């Protein structure tokens, strides 16, 4: 059992193309974002598991003997390759006083925590007596993969606390990462966390949270993009709340209702991802404007497809309309239904045009900022390497 405190972080993501279609086996392209979720784990002496999730208003504590008793009540074994069963989740809901219908952020976050804590400790040892706090730079439920960043952090911290993976941070180092094999284990458990939160995730978000960089993802097959040019992307949060779980379920219903109509749309989205990958891999590091018309057109086509799939929203239409009036092309990113959109900025887009677009987007009540993409995946940190705001949020300053 771990004797010292640890801090882990995982990035959010932006899906360039392939959201929703990737749930149905199609190709997605996704990149890690420079906004991260941080988790501090301290070994607790008091025989309890304490969790604080300020982002979703959760502060809870359970005695380890109660958790042990709860865990021993499950007949099925826990494993990183097994989905949480309906009975397991019902039992955990009852234990935590969560109603069956609740998809409130705090309910899903608590449920994912309990499932991962019990499942990981059942496979690798005893329920650890720990004190956990999670804080994020990511907006929650906005399409930037906050659920995956949360699940990846939980998996990395709990696996380390149970001794299933090493604690690779050597004395004097500011950050460290795990081995490929350990990252695969973190990714598999994080996927189970995503299952609790999303119902039927594709796994793309937890893969980006684990490995970072820029990935192509299809049916569990993860490939790093050969070369990623410096892309300038404007991210806009419409601030319209939505639930990935509900939107993913809605798309499934539509496909079941109109298979002959929807399946070609999914195939077309997959082709868009592949076309985009070819263009990105052909672009030099600092690309000239000639590559952009194709990328822009792919954004436009995909945005229409996502509307056809029923995951658009008037706020996203507005976002696209406002940026188009400045000659810029946008699409929703993540599950849609509100949340965030991305706008491609060309190398020759003038700073004045970007400022004007930002001003008009803010006037709609949206929040927008330029991002850096391709951030590192799950990372272990020494406390001395953390920025003051993170230290403060993790109650370490
Ligand atoms: N910092 C966090 N602390 C606790 N739970 C979180 C945090 N970030 C995300 N979550 C969980 O993830 C859910 C949001 O996931 P989701 O609807 O998939 O949106 P997204 O992944 O796009 O942000 C929240 O309702 C909450 O349960
Ligand atoms: C819609 C989907 O493709 C991405 C969801 O991303 P987010 O939770 O909205 O950040 C679902 C998935 O891939 O599991
Ligand atoms: Mg999510």
């Amino acid at each position: 059992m771990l004797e010292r405190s640890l801090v882990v972080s995982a990035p959010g993501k932006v899906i360039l193309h392939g959201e929703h279609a990737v749930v149905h086996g199609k190709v997605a392209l996704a990149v890690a974002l420079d906004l991260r979720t941080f988790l501090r784990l301290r070994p607790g002496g008091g025989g309890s598991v304490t969790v604080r999730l300020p982002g979703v208003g959760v502060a809870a504590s359970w005695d380890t003997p109660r958790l042990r008793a709860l865990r021993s009540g499950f007949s099925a074994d826990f494993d990183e390759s097994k989905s949480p069963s309906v009975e397991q989740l019902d039992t955990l809901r009852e234990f935590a006083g969560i109603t069956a219908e609740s998809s409130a952020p705090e309910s899903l976050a608590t449920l994912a925590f309990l499932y991962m804590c019990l499942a990981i400790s059942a496979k690798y040892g005893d329920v650890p007596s720990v004190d956990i706090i999670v804080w994020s730079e990511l907006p929650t439920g906005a399409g930037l993969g906050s659920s995956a960043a949360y699940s990846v952090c939980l998996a990395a911290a709990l696996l380390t606390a149970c001794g299933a993976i090493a604690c690779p941070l050597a004395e004097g180092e500011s950050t460290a990462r795990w081995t490929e094999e350990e990252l695969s284990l973190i990714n598999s458990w994080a996927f189970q966390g995503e299952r609790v939160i999303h119902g039927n995730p594709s796994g793309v978000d937890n893969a980006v949270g684990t490995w970072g960089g820029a990935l192509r993802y299809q049916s569990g097959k993860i490939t790093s993009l050969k070369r990623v040019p410096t892309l300038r992307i404007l991210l806009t949060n419409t601030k319209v709340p939505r639930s990935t779980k509900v939107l993913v379920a809605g798309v499934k219903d539509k496909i079941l209702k109109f298979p002959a109509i929807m399946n070609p749309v999914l195939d077309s989205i997959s082709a868009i991802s592949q076309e985009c990958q070819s263009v990105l891999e052909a672009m030099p590091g600092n690309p000239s404007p000639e590559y952009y018309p194709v990328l822009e057109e792919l954004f436009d086509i995909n945005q229409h497809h996502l509307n056809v799939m029923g995951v658009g929203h008037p706020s996203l239409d507005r976002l696209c309309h406002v940026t188009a009036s400045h000659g810029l092309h946008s699409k929703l990113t993540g599950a849609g239904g509100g949340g965030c959109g991305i706008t491609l900025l060309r190398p020759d887009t003038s700073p004045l045009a970007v400022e004007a677009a930002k001003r008009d987007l803010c006037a709609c009540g949206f929040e927008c900022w330029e991002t850096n993409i391709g951030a590192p995946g799950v990372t272990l940190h020494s406390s001395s390497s953390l920025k003051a705001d993170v230290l403060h949020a993790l109650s370490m300053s």
Side-chain angles (χ1 to χ4, degrees):
M1 208 60 73
L2 191 77
E3 280 173 7
R4 59 171 159 139
S5 296
L6 52 94
V7 176
V8 299
S9 75
K13 59 84 228 237
V14 162
I15 298 184
L16 296 177
H17 290 291
E19 45 275 273
H20 289 289
V22 67
V23 176
H24 305 278
K26 308 300 175 189
V27 179
L29 294 184
V31 292
L33 203 54
D34 58 350
L35 297 175
R36 305 182 77 84
T37 294
F38 292 85
L39 180 157
R40 188 205 66 198
L41 179 149
R42 264 197 322 222
S48 61
V49 172
T50 300
V51 61
R52 276 177 288 158
L53 311 171
V56 294
V58 170
S61 188
W62 303 278
D63 293 340
T64 41
R66 272 188 79 207
L67 291 175
R68 253 182 236 127
L70 179 67
R71 197 182 66 177
S72 62
F74 292 120
S75 50
D77 287 343
F78 292 104
D79 190 79
E80 72 272 18
S81 61
K82 276 195 189 150
S83 301
S85 71
V86 174
E87 298 76 47
Q88 285 169 342
L89 295 181
D90 282 347
T91 307
L92 294 181
R93 271 194 208 95
E94 201 186 318
F95 175 80
I98 298 167
T99 57
E101 316 76 51
S102 179
S103 57
E106 61 277 21
S107 305
L108 295 175
T110 305
L111 205 57
F113 176 80
L114 279 173
Y115 180 79
M116 291 181 73
C117 181
L118 295 191
I120 290 176
S121 66
K123 175 138 189 202
Y124 303 103
D126 196 6
V127 175
S129 180
V130 287
D131 171 21
I132 286 177
I133 179 165
V134 180
W135 176 78
S136 189
E137 296 169 338
L138 290 158
T140 303
L144 303 182
S146 76
S147 58
Y150 172 61
S151 300
V152 171
C153 284
L154 280 179
L158 291 167
L159 286 166
T160 308
C162 290
I165 57 176
C167 187
L169 193 69
E171 197 66 41
E173 272 182 344
S174 54
T175 58
R177 306 208 60 222
W178 287 270
T179 63
E180 233 357 76
E181 204 183 327
E182 289 170 327
L183 290 175
S184 290
L185 191 62
I186 293 172
N187 184 51
S188 300
W189 280 109
F191 184 51
Q192 304 309 335
E194 275 282 84
R195 276 193 162 137
V196 177
I197 296 173
H198 277 196
N200 182 26
S202 65
V204 63
D205 291 5
N206 47 280
V208 178
T210 302
W211 279 283
L215 303 179
R216 171 200 165 106
Y217 184 95
Q218 184 174 27
S219 304
K221 186 164 182 288
I222 302 156
T223 329
S224 282
L225 258 57
K226 281 194 211 103
R227 209 153 46 123
V228 194
T230 316
L231 283 185
R232 284 178 65 200
I233 287 180
L234 187 68
L235 251 180
T236 302
N237 188 355
T238 64
K239 299 190 192 158
V240 173
R242 86 300 170 283
S243 150
T244 301
K245 191 174 182 176
V246 172
L247 288 150
V248 167
V251 170
K252 187 175 169 201
D253 289 347
K254 227 185 218 343
I255 296 170
L256 289 175
K257 192 168 169 194
F258 302 115
I261 298 169
M262 297 310 295
N263 284 324
V265 177
L266 299 180
D267 286 335
S268 176
I269 291 179
S270 208
I272 291 173
S273 294
Q274 291 172 78
E275 181 69 26
C276 180
Q277 181 183 359
S278 305
V279 176
L280 292 178
E281 289 186 339
M283 283 165 89
N286 275 317
S288 52
E290 75 205 66
Y291 293 93
Y292 280 79
V294 179
L295 294 178
E296 291 174 341
E297 215 168 335
L298 295 178
F299 263 40
D300 295 342
I301 301 170
N302 199 353
Q303 177 61 16
H304 287 300
H305 283 340
L306 288 159
N307 275 318
V308 168
M309 289 164 78
V311 297
H313 188 270
S315 63
L316 293 163
D317 293 341
R318 190 139 187 236
L319 187 164
C320 293
H321 188 72
V322 167
T323 56
S325 72
H326 295 277
L328 301 170
H329 298 249
S330 307
K331 66 175 274 291
L332 68 85
T333 188
C340 287
I342 50 176
T343 304
L344 192 63
L345 302 177
R346 304 164 62 116
D348 56 348
T349 305
S350 77
L352 279 178
V354 178
E355 280 318 306
K358 278 188 182 168
R359 196 187 50 233
D360 289 354
L361 289 165
C362 290
C364 299
F366 304 158
E367 193 183 352
C368 57
W369 64 100
E370 251 196 78
T371 53
N372 290 314
I373 55 174
V378 64
T379 302
L380 192 59
H381 300 263
S382 72
S383 49
S384 59
S385 69
L386 295 170
K387 289 181 290 183
D389 58 338
V390 180
L391 280 171
H392 180 69
L394 297 179
S395 324
M396 294 170 79
S397 58

